[in-house]
């Protein structure tokens, strides 16, 4: 059998905007789906570079930074680091997860638009724009807020109304106000640079019509939009936080964030080739070869941007270039519908939904990965449901985990942890083996068509077949009479366990690695490969490790409670209650010496302490009896708040409060680390 030529792929997921942590819907919509696909391609031995990054520029970050009195770059970098770290925790296998405020991207974007301009697709136009004289700023996009002209919503932003979702321009807003200072802006003239999309309209329509790979619904959305007529689009903004526009006369203007972030798909591969693999020819090898397949995992709201705007930009760049200098046009998009949360919309302000940082604090990674892909919104919107999360957790435990555990423990116990031999096959065995030998094709077919939801569900069905086979054969009965015959069953079951390890690896890689570890296989997944799923993947006599459970059942109510607590903590963490310096100065804290320690009748936690503060003697009621013996305290110098209102506790007048560190069930009294006089002030 000759191996077909391996493909070359650039796999990408939509660039998250850096001012928010992604939620579960964002994750399955692009990032996680792309990861599964990239992992699958690597397993098949295809050449893959998988990239994405944080979208750093534009008004949301600029506005947030101004409000917080921060530098926009600092704020964006801080958030980028958080998101990047979270994607690592989710085991997203990017070859390069970068950001758009890096020198490679900035230079690339500027060169790109210089070329597009040379090719005659960019023109200048003078327009009216809102200007805040208080902040001395033009107010693009989100720098303006006001009343939506369509639905009357009072807090519509200059780029979009959050209530009716209509796209807006700042000038359309009624009663506009500056988003930073709240003052009414004035109208001023300014010049902008525009992309001539109407010039590309005919060619774009042809490309879409001729691309049979694009899903039918996405194609229709695009053709409708082209038929309505593509508008000219301003690609510059009067905004400091962005990539300086490379056009003559456009000093102080930046490239509109939408029009440069999308170029990150290209520049991230350039950066990867130059700085990560350090083979700069790899950039052209991927991006300037018309054989390369580029795939974009995006939400449905991004279809037009990826199938019209982005290819339009590429065509405008490619004009007048030699064949081997042209960037390859999109091969396909995999767009998802939306994920809801318990049939409601994810909403940060209302606390509805689960964010990707929260998820990992309340349940293991692979439960989430499994659950999200099991319910991937492929053809219609779907909803994250706790009841389904619980079902899926049970599926992992009862169907997949249980089969693997039963097989391995039996081999551990009855066959000294060595794969037993295969003997004569009966009808049931033949049927079972044919399932093992054909499963990779079946699942591969779904994955090739981006049908990940079907793929994972089919893998679960496959695992059920394993359980059915095992129950039908009942080797725990056979073994009483014929050990070899029982071993034969487990030989085939072990091959089945191996198949599961490979099949599951794009979806739940941690679990897959654990299974391979138990099977005592040291090669990494990509060396083993997708094609290694066969009836004889494991050799007779090969030894395995001691079985360990792969999953555990968690109490769903506990998980939910935990989530509520985490959300509460997050909220409180943000609203730190500061006290003024004057308030702090009111606290009179002194060094005191413990003179005497007495137990308190009927209060087994309390001690009555007699302390000296300078010349003055005072009594304190202190809850230290569980943590210190009296002799450990006598003579100790401690810190005491002495101007606390006196109070009687269990008959003891407490004239102050001693300071101690409390952690769990540990209590440690604070003492000065140099010898100081009793009565010295602590400040
Ligand atoms: Zn509206
Ligand atoms: Zn202002």
């Amino acid at each position: 059998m000759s191996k077909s030529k391996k493909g070359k792929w650039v796999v990408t997921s939509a660039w998250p905007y850096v001012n928010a942590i992604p939620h579960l819907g964002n994750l399955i919509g692009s990032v996680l789906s792309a990861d599964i696909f990239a992992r699958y391609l690597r397993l098949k031995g295809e050449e893959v570079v998988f990239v994405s990054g944080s979208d750093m520029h534009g008004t949301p970050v600029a506005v947030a930074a101004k409000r917080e009195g921060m530098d926009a770059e600092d704020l964006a970098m801080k958030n980028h680091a958080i998101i990047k770290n979270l994607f690592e925790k989710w085991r997203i296998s990017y070859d390069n997860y970068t950001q758009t405020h890096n020198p490679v991207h900035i230079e690339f974007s500027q060169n790109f638009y210089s070329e597009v301009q040379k090719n005659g697709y960019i023109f200048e136009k003078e327009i009216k724009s809102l200007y805040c004289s208080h902040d001395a700023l033009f107010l693009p996009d989100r720098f303006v807020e006001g009343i939506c002209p369509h639905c009357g919503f009072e807090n519509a932003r200059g780029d979009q109304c959050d209530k009716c979702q209509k796209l807006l321009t700042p000038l359309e807003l009624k009663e506009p106000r500056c988003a930073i200072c709240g003052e009414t802006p004035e109208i001023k003239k300014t010049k902008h640079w525009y992309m001539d999309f109407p010039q590309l309209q005919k060619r774009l329509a042809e490309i879409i019509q001729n691309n049979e790979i694009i899903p039918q619904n996405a194609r229709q959305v695009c053709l409708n939009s082209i038929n309505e007529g593509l508008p000219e689009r301003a690609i510059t903004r009067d905004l400091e936080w962005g990539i300086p526009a490379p056009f003559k006369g456009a000093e102080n203007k930046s490239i509109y964030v939408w029009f440069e972030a999308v170029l990150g798909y290209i520049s991230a591969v350039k950066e990867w080739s130059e700085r990560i693999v350090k083979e700069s020819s790899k950039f052209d090898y991927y991006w300037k070869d018309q054989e390369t397949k580029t795939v974009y995992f995006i939400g449905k709201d991004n279809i037009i941007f990826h199938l019209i705007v982005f290819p339009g930009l590429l065509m405008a760049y490619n004009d007048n270039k030699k064949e081997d200098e042209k960037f390859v046009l999109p091969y396909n998009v995999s767009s998802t519908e939306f994920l809801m949360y318990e049939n409601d919309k994810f909403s940060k302000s209302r606390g509805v939904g689960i964010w990707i940082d929260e998820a990992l604090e309340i349940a293991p990674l692979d439960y989430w990965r499994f659950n999200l892909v099991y319910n991937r919104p492929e053809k219609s919107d779907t909803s994250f449901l706790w009841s389904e999360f619980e079902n899926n957790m049970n599926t992992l435990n009862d169907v997949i985990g249980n089969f693997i555990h039963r097989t391995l423990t039996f081999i551990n116990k009855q066959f000294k942890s060595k794969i037993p031999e295969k003997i004569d096959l009966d009808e049931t065995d033949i049927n079972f083996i044919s399932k093992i030998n054909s499963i990779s094709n079946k699942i591969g077919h779904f994955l090739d068509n981006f049908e990940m939801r079907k793929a994972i569900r089919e893998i679960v069905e496959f695992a059920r077949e394993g359980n059915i086979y095992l129950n039908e054969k009942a080797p725990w009965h056979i073994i009483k009479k014929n050990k070899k015959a029982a071993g034969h069953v487990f030989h085939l079951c072990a091959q089945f366990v191996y198949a599961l390890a490979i099949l599951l690896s794009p979806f739940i890689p941690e679990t897959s690695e654990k299974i391979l570890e138990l099977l005592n296989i040291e090669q990494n997944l990509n060396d083993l490969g997708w094609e290694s799923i066969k009836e004889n993947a494991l050799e007779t006599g090969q030894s395995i490790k001691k079985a360990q459970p792969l999953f555990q059942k968690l109490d769903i109510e506990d998980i939910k409670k935990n989530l509520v607590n985490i959300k509460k903590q997050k909220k409180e963490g943000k609203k730190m209650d500061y006290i003024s310096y004057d308030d702090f100065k009111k606290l009179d804290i002194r060094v005191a010496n413990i003179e005497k320690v007495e137990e308190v009748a009927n209060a087994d936690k309390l001690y009555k302490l007699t302390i000296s503060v300078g010349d003055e003697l005072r009594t304190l009621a202190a809850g230290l009896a569980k943590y210190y013996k009296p002799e450990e305290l006598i003579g100790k110098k401690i810190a005491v708040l002495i101007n606390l209102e006196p109070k009687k506790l269990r008959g003891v007048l407490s004239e102050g409060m001693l300071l101690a560190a409390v952690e769990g069930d540990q209590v440690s009294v604070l003492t000065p680390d140099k010898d100081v006089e009793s009565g010295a002030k602590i400040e």
Side-chain angles (χ1 to χ4, degrees):
M1 200 173 80
S2 72
K3 281 207 168 173
S4 58
K5 193 173 164 268
K6 295 293 181 188
K8 202 198 282 186
W9 299 79
V10 175
V11 178
T12 73
S13 60
W15 290 50
Y17 194 72
V18 78
N19 70 340
I21 286 174
H23 56 60
L24 294 185
N26 305 134
L27 197 83
I28 187 60
S30 59
V31 179
L32 181 55
S33 300
D35 180 56
I36 291 165
F37 191 67
R39 284 175 182 273
Y40 163 65
L41 293 177
R42 290 190 198 111
L43 267 176
K44 284 210 303 179
E46 314 251 313
E47 293 187 88
V48 184
V49 53
F50 175 28
V51 297
S52 183
S54 305
D55 181 359
M56 306 277 274
H57 299 128
T59 56
V61 163
V63 170
K66 271 219 186 313
R67 281 182 179 155
E68 286 172 34
M70 266 181 98
D71 186 57
E73 180 173 348
D74 290 345
L75 179 63
M77 284 297 185
K78 189 182 110 193
N79 293 347
H80 165 65
I82 293 171
I83 295 173
K84 184 170 193 231
N85 181 259
L86 282 168
F87 286 160
E88 281 166 14
K89 286 187 178 163
W90 276 81
R91 300 277 312 259
I92 307 300
S93 61
Y94 289 119
D95 293 297
N96 188 16
Y97 184 82
T98 181
Q99 38 86 9
T100 55
H101 198 65
N102 86 68
V104 174
H105 176 73
I106 293 171
E107 195 195 332
F108 178 83
S109 302
Q110 291 177 326
N111 288 340
F112 186 94
Y113 281 106
S114 300
E115 292 292 310
V116 172
Q117 188 181 38
K118 262 191 226 157
N119 287 340
Y121 290 95
I122 286 172
F123 61 92
E124 297 171 39
K125 201 158 118 179
E126 195 173 62
I127 57 153
K128 287 175 186 158
S129 181
L130 294 178
Y131 181 84
C132 174
S133 47
H134 176 261
D135 292 308
L137 266 185
F138 276 102
L139 303 176
D141 311 311
R142 295 190 184 198
F143 270 102
V144 203
E145 292 167 352
I147 298 171
C148 172
H150 303 286
C151 73
F153 180 55
E154 290 196 352
N155 293 313
R157 293 184 316 239
D159 54 352
Q160 191 170 21
C161 170
D162 266 346
K163 194 160 183 211
C164 69
Q165 304 297 329
K166 289 227 164 67
L167 294 182
L168 300 171
T169 62
L171 283 170
E172 289 175 84
L173 290 174
K174 289 190 210 157
E175 296 179 29
R177 56 182 192 271
C178 168
I180 304 157
C181 69
E183 283 186 20
T184 305
E186 53 189 289
I187 294 177
K188 252 189 160 179
K189 281 186 176 168
T190 179
K191 209 194 256 179
H192 278 295
W193 277 253
Y194 281 72
M195 177 76 201
D196 190 358
F197 282 106
Q199 206 191 133
L200 291 159
Q201 188 156 316
K202 230 181 114 205
R203 284 162 69 196
L204 279 166
E206 277 168 23
I207 284 188
I208 304 255
Q209 259 149 0
N210 294 336
N211 187 340
E212 284 170 8
I213 299 161
I214 302 172
Q216 187 54 37
N217 60 342
R219 187 192 301 190
Q220 208 47 55
V221 168
C222 290
L223 289 175
N224 290 348
S225 162
I226 293 173
N227 288 339
E228 282 171 20
L230 296 179
E232 303 161 341
R233 301 283 288 264
I235 57 167
T236 53
R237 284 294 187 270
D238 289 302
L239 184 67
E240 209 183 317
W241 177 235
I243 296 179
F247 314 121
K248 197 163 171 276
E251 295 74 24
N252 303 325
K253 295 187 195 281
S254 58
I255 306 173
Y256 182 31
V257 59
W258 286 23
F259 287 94
E260 47 97 346
V262 72
L263 300 181
Y265 293 130
I266 312 174
S267 70
V269 176
K270 189 170 200 286
E271 189 192 24
W272 166 80
S273 72
E274 289 169 3
R275 305 199 169 180
I276 298 177
V277 290
K278 300 196 166 51
E279 260 183 89
S280 51
S281 63
K282 285 261 180 183
F283 173 51
D284 290 359
Y285 177 78
Y286 277 99
W287 260 105
K288 294 179 184 168
D289 180 348
Q290 301 306 308
E291 296 286 302
T292 298
K293 293 169 177 169
T294 57
V295 188
Y296 304 84
F297 285 83
I298 55 173
K300 67 175 165 189
D301 49 341
N302 259 326
I303 290 175
I304 289 186
F305 209 75
H306 286 76
L307 285 178
I308 295 182
V309 174
F310 183 49
L313 293 173
L314 295 178
M315 284 164 59
Y317 174 93
N318 286 345
D319 267 11
N320 307 315
K321 296 263 186 315
K322 287 189 228 144
E323 271 318 295
D324 61 357
E325 286 176 352
K326 289 181 178 174
F327 291 126
V328 60
L329 297 182
Y331 169 74
N332 203 353
V333 297
S334 172
S335 66
T336 44
E337 306 289 313
F338 294 134
L339 182 75
M340 316 276 282
Y341 176 81
E342 295 280 350
N343 298 314
D344 197 352
K345 258 190 171 175
F346 279 75
S347 160
K348 193 155 211 178
S349 55
R350 291 186 295 127
V352 175
I354 306 175
W355 273 257
I356 68 169
D357 53 337
E358 298 167 345
L360 296 184
E361 289 185 46
I362 54 177
L365 171 63
D366 279 353
Y367 289 13
W368 293 108
R369 288 185 58 121
F370 181 86
N371 191 76
L372 286 169
V373 67
Y374 198 87
N375 199 18
R376 183 174 184 249
E378 266 164 31
K379 297 259 148 67
S380 56
D381 292 354
T382 60
S383 205
F384 172 90
L385 300 173
W386 280 109
S387 54
E388 199 174 67
F389 186 86
E390 191 171 20
N391 283 341
N392 284 334
M393 189 161 64
N394 291 339
T395 300
L396 284 172
N397 269 288
D398 302 342
V399 181
I400 295 171
N402 204 11
F403 173 80
I404 294 172
H405 199 66
R406 280 204 292 175
T407 299
L408 301 187
T409 44
F410 214 93
I411 296 175
N412 287 148
K413 281 183 188 149
Q414 300 293 343
F415 300 95
K416 295 183 181 151
S417 296
K418 289 194 173 20
I419 308 281
E421 66 178 321
K422 184 169 71 176
I423 51 172
D424 298 336
L425 303 178
D426 67 14
E427 198 68 22
T428 317
D429 297 330
I430 290 168
N431 194 10
F432 189 59
I433 286 174
S434 88
K435 283 192 175 120
I436 297 176
N437 289 337
S438 61
I439 189 69
S440 61
N441 266 341
K442 198 169 183 184
I443 304 299
H445 176 76
F446 290 134
L447 289 175
D448 288 334
N449 290 299
F450 309 115
E451 293 178 306
M452 293 157 187
R453 175 189 169 104
K454 272 194 192 150
I456 193 77
R457 286 168 186 241
E458 199 58 41
I459 294 171
V460 170
E461 283 316 305
F462 177 69
R464 284 190 211 284
E465 298 287 348
N467 285 294
I468 291 169
Y469 173 78
L470 197 51
N471 289 338
E472 240 178 72
K473 286 277 179 171
W476 39 89
H477 292 314
I478 304 177
I479 199 161
K480 290 171 197 158
K481 288 180 201 148
N482 184 346
K483 192 163 181 180
K484 268 199 167 173
H488 166 82
V489 173
F490 283 107
H491 176 97
L492 295 184
C493 285
Q495 308 295 352
F496 198 91
V497 169
Y498 177 84
L500 280 173
I502 304 294
L503 293 170
L504 288 170
S505 70
F507 304 93
I508 46 174
E510 263 182 21
T511 299
S512 174
E513 284 160 15
K514 278 189 211 159
I515 302 171
L516 291 176
E517 165 84 28
L518 293 176
L519 290 174
N520 210 3
I521 292 172
E522 280 167 8
Q523 276 166 286
N524 80 38
L525 276 160
N526 293 337
D527 292 340
L528 295 165
W530 189 250
E531 315 251 306
S532 68
I533 302 172
K534 275 187 219 114
E535 64 183 281
N536 54 1
L538 304 174
E539 280 174 33
T540 302
Q542 191 175 318
S543 59
I544 62 162
K545 292 192 176 157
K546 192 176 177 305
Q548 308 271 342
L550 293 166
F551 306 104
Q552 63 191 106
K553 279 195 192 180
L554 303 173
D555 186 312
I556 207 83
E557 292 308 317
D558 283 351
I559 298 179
K560 280 155 88 175
K561 255 184 237 154
N562 228 333
L563 179 66
V564 172
N565 281 337
I566 287 167
K567 284 189 187 292
K568 208 172 130 206
Q569 277 168 16
K570 264 192 181 170
K571 229 177 184 173
E572 284 166 358
K574 266 189 207 134
K575 283 192 214 140
M576 173 80 96
D577 261 338
Y578 289 108
I579 61 165
S580 68
Y581 182 66
D582 286 341
D583 283 340
F584 174 71
K585 270 202 327 198
K586 287 181 194 158
L587 303 175
D588 193 356
I589 308 172
R590 303 290 180 125
V591 174
N593 193 45
I594 301 179
E595 306 292 342
K596 200 165 141 194
V597 180
E598 295 161 77
E599 288 175 357
V600 180
N602 301 324
D604 53 6
K605 287 177 190 159
L606 278 189
Y607 280 144
K608 178 184 171 188
L609 306 182
T610 306
I611 58 168
S612 60
V613 186
D615 296 329
E616 189 194 356
L617 286 181
R618 288 183 178 218
T619 57
L620 291 184
L624 293 175
K626 270 172 71 185
Y627 311 103
Y628 289 93
K629 295 187 184 112
E631 58 270 26
E632 291 176 305
L633 289 170
I634 290 170
K636 239 191 180 56
K637 291 253 165 59
I638 56 169
V640 180
L641 175 66
I642 60 165
N643 62 341
L644 185 70
E645 202 178 2
K647 198 177 176 184
K648 250 190 177 166
L649 283 170
R650 299 288 182 123
V652 181
L653 182 69
S654 198
E655 304 168 280
M657 180 183 278
L658 71 80
L659 305 186
V662 179
E663 191 191 22
D665 55 6
Q666 294 273 23
V667 172
S668 173
V669 166
L670 298 189
T671 61
D673 77 347
K674 284 185 189 145
D675 200 15
V676 280
E677 288 290 334
S678 151
K681 202 163 181 346
I682 295 174
E683 49 190 355

